[in-house]
Amino acid sequence: MSIRVTLIPGDGIGPEVVNAAVEVIEAAGCKVEWERAAAGASAVPTHGTPIPAETLQSIRRNKLALKGPLATPIGEGYRSANVALRKEFDLYANVRPARSFAGVETRYSGVDLVVIRENTQGLYSGVEHYIDDERTAAESISIITRKGSERIIEYAFNYVKQNKRRRLTLVHKANILKCTSGLFLETGRGLAAKHPDVEFKEMIVDNCAMQLVKNPNQFDVLVTTNLFGDILSDLTSGLIGGLGLTAGANIGKQAAIFEAVHGTAPDIAGKGVANPTAMILSAALMLRWLGDRHKDPSAAAAGDRIEAAVAEVLAAGGTLTPDIGGRASTAALGDAVASAL
Ligand code: NAD
């Protein structure tokens, strides 16, 4: 197996955790040709923009990227480079699995659920402005289309079947947002009728947040709109031990970008203590996706072996990073997973 992948180290803890993921992929015996590319705040001084044209060209060519987190100025400045990349490549499905690990102490055991988030519409459409120069009020428009809802919900039904799962819960707020969330829900109900083999449930988002905290094991796969998915997937990360453990995939018809759920973690950046697990598991998701797409069993097997090595190292407990109760460095945990392979 030999593949070319755009590698974006990103900002904050990005370069630290991406290095660990690269080491692990290589230890798994995968021959990846990495095309390094800049993006985010760290690209601005060198390229004058958070999304350089060369980076877009590289992703366009390779149709595949492994990406560290990118910083976005809060409340001002340029728009999110993450949102822009997802829109540019129409990466409409954001898949965020959360599974408990033996060795990581949490309130619940046996959590195994997946949040599938619509990644291009809703309140992240970027249609937002202040209504006057004095900034006395602002408005933001949520855009939901039937086509956009259909493709993400259909993706979720197929995900349930392909991954031998049972139940799909559609999360909405159609009691208040009768048109936008209403359209998403109506589309889901229509598609549910075409997938009688998948148990379909619907739940209002506020109740869903409470139910997830109270009894996460009642859930299997969840599908929801952009903002709700963003928030609920951080919540599900918390259930299994935090953002250091949760991987993510941004999937489109033409390209895919794999990244951890977490951000740049400015509070620990540069200290060498970030947990690389989420980024390593994102790399494993990438290999499994490659395996499915190119019918390459060796890629899928490498992804499975990386997941097993991560589980083994976390269960052994000797090299845990501080966020999950240990004292190990990013590099030590990465080395341990590479050695376990
Ligand atoms: P964050 O995910 O960066 O951090 C939240 C908390 O989780 C912090 O306490 C941090 O230390 C901890 N954490 C995150 N990843 C960790 C890891 N691997 N190991 C150990 N601890 C970890 O969220 P934030 O502080 O809200 O956002 C910081 C910046 O990241 C913002 O600019 C935001 O826009 C950006 N961001 C980017 C992405 C992305 O690139 N996909 C996602 C989320 C946030």
Side-chain angles (χ1 to χ4, degrees):
M1 184 188 74
S2 178
I3 41 166
R4 191 176 312 140
V5 179
T6 302
L7 183 70
I8 302 173
D11 301 319
I13 60 170
E16 302 164 51
V17 294
V18 164
N19 275 348
V22 167
E23 178 194 357
V24 167
I25 288 205
E26 283 167 8
C30 305
K31 292 193 176 44
V32 178
E33 201 183 310
W34 299 108
E35 226 173 75
R36 284 189 172 257
S42 50
V44 175
T46 47
H47 296 74
T49 164
I51 319 181
E54 302 92 287
T55 302
L56 294 177
Q57 279 158 10
S58 172
I59 300 173
R60 211 164 279 133
R61 224 175 12 251
N62 299 328
K63 300 182 174 49
L64 188 57
L66 184 65
K67 185 182 90 53
L70 309 179
T72 308
I74 294 173
E76 56 177 22
Y78 59 79
R79 305 197 80 87
S80 162
N82 293 308
V83 173
L85 284 173
R86 291 166 192 162
K87 284 198 150 193
E88 175 72 24
F89 296 103
D90 201 18
L91 306 173
Y92 65 94
N94 188 192
V95 181
R96 296 179 157 183
R99 188 180 298 167
S100 301
F101 290 99
V104 178
E105 210 175 299
T106 51
R107 198 168 291 267
Y108 299 101
S109 61
V111 173
D112 180 10
L113 44 85
V114 183
V115 175
I116 298 182
R117 159 194 179 197
E118 200 294 319
N119 220 11
T120 57
Q121 305 197 328
L123 276 167
Y124 287 51
S125 301
V127 188
E128 197 188 37
H129 56 256
Y130 289 100
I131 64 158
D132 55 12
D133 291 341
E134 288 74 43
R135 299 189 169 194
T136 57
E139 55 191 15
S140 188
I141 297 179
S142 169
I143 297 172
I144 301 283
T145 65
R146 190 175 294 280
K147 190 169 159 242
S149 303
E150 260 166 20
R151 67 177 180 172
I152 188 67
I153 300 167
E154 184 65 16
Y155 180 96
F157 273 111
N158 289 330
Y159 182 95
V160 170
K161 291 181 191 176
Q162 281 160 11
N163 291 279
K164 301 194 172 33
R165 287 179 171 267
R166 295 166 294 108
R167 180 182 306 142
L168 182 65
T169 305
L170 182 148
V171 183
H172 65 89
K173 188 71 185 174
N175 49 332
I176 305 297
L177 307 170
K178 292 184 193 292
C179 297
T180 47
S181 227
L183 176 54
F184 191 77
L185 175 60
E186 180 189 301
T187 308
R189 285 176 177 166
L191 288 171
K194 295 186 190 155
H195 295 279
D197 44 337
V198 176
E199 187 189 333
F200 179 73
K201 288 190 78 169
E202 48 188 67
M203 196 176 281
I204 294 174
V205 63
D206 31 348
N207 179 31
C208 181
M210 185 278 289
Q211 297 283 348
L212 275 167
V213 171
K214 196 167 172 225
N215 176 16
N217 294 336
Q218 68 183 291
F219 292 95
D220 189 4
V221 180
L222 300 94
V223 64
T224 189
T225 44
N226 209 334
L227 179 62
F228 298 160
D230 199 5
I231 296 169
L232 291 180
S233 59
D234 265 39
L235 189 162
T236 55
S237 297
L239 294 173
I240 61 153
L243 284 166
L245 297 169
T246 329
N250 300 286
I251 311 276
K253 296 256 186 277
Q254 306 301 332
I257 299 181
F258 292 80
E259 63 178 341
V261 171
H262 65 70
T264 59
D267 50 339
I268 54 168
K271 297 184 178 160
V273 295
N275 189 340
T277 302
M279 188 54 69
I280 293 170
L281 291 176
S282 302
L285 281 184
M286 179 179 86
L287 294 171
R288 295 236 312 262
W289 177 85
L290 270 170
D292 286 348
R293 175 157 269 217
H294 299 304
K295 308 273 172 277
D296 178 349
S298 70
D304 290 348
R305 284 196 299 120
I306 291 175
E307 285 185 2
V310 166
E312 185 187 320
V313 168
L314 295 180
T319 45
L320 304 183
T321 44
D323 58 307
I324 47 173
R327 298 169 66 179
S329 66
T330 308
L333 179 45
D335 290 348
V337 176
S339 302
L341 284 157

